[in-house]
Amino acid sequence: MTSAVIRDMLPGDAPAIAAIYSHYITHTTVTFEEQPVSADEMQRRAEAVTAAGLPWLVAEAAGAVVGYAYATPWKPRSAYRFSVEATVYVADAARGRGHGRALYAALFERLRAQGLHAVLGGITLPNDASIALHEAMGMTKVAHLPEVGFKFGRWLDVGYWHRLL
């Protein structure tokens, strides 16, 4: 398991978070964003999440942010208010060390304590590592959307995984 400390995001974490995410934007299809995101933009996004009363967590190891996870409202309609979408990213150099699982475990516990009921996670397919993480966290595949994204010159599918808290 990870030796990282899981904690709430602090404003000074935004540059590291932006760097982690921008790697995935420019080198992978796991996110459908296509332009790197600035630290200021990541800070703005984090503030929007926490202003909605939802957690944004980071994993810190050896004094560096090595990953992050957060939840956003699933849909804006009031009947969805107990459902969220969870997101997790781990620095490329820190993958495979349990940081993603530790982040999700802490996030899910926080969401449960807040009275939330269901959590969903979207995965660009194929992505065996992300599928394994989501299923290790007790999530099951509930949807497969063919060719809903287009990045790096190809059509991409998205699957959704779900679990009750």
Side-chain angles (χ1 to χ4, degrees), residues 73-83 116:
W74 170 242
K75 297 268 186 182
R77 304 280 192 265
S78 63
Y80 290 115
R81 68 188 174 278
F82 297 106
S83 299
L116 291 157

Side-chain angles (χ1 to χ4, degrees), residues 111-130:
L111 295 170
R112 185 180 305 107
Q114 288 180 231
L116 291 157
H117 182 69
V119 62
L120 295 105
I123 302 173
T124 304
L125 301 173
N127 187 333
D128 292 340
S130 189

Side-chain angles (χ1 to χ4, degrees), residues 8 49-50 52-57 69-74 80-88 103-121 137 139 163-165:
D8 289 320
V49 166
T50 57
L54 295 168
W56 188 303
L57 305 175
Y70 62 92
T72 55
W74 170 242
Y80 290 115
R81 68 188 174 278
F82 297 106
S83 299
V84 294
E85 183 170 3
T87 300
V88 64
L103 280 159
Y104 257 0
L107 181 68
F108 291 3
E109 182 53 39
R110 183 87 63 93
L111 295 170
R112 185 180 305 107
Q114 288 180 231
L116 291 157
H117 182 69
V119 62
L120 295 105
M137 299 307 300
M139 300 179 84
R163 77 168 264 189
L164 298 179
L165 297 167

Side-chain angles (χ1 to χ4, degrees), residues 2-53:
T2 182
S3 61
V5 172
I6 308 300
R7 61 169 173 76
D8 289 320
M9 180 192 170
L10 301 171
D13 297 330
I17 291 169
I20 290 168
Y21 188 47
S22 290
H23 166 81
Y24 287 96
I25 293 169
T26 58
H27 299 289
T28 77
T29 57
V30 301
T31 174
F32 285 175
E33 290 203 60
E34 297 180 293
Q35 298 301 317
V37 177
S38 70
D40 288 343
E41 175 60 16
M42 290 308 290
Q43 183 64 41
R44 186 201 63 73
R45 292 179 186 189
E47 288 170 357
V49 166
T50 57

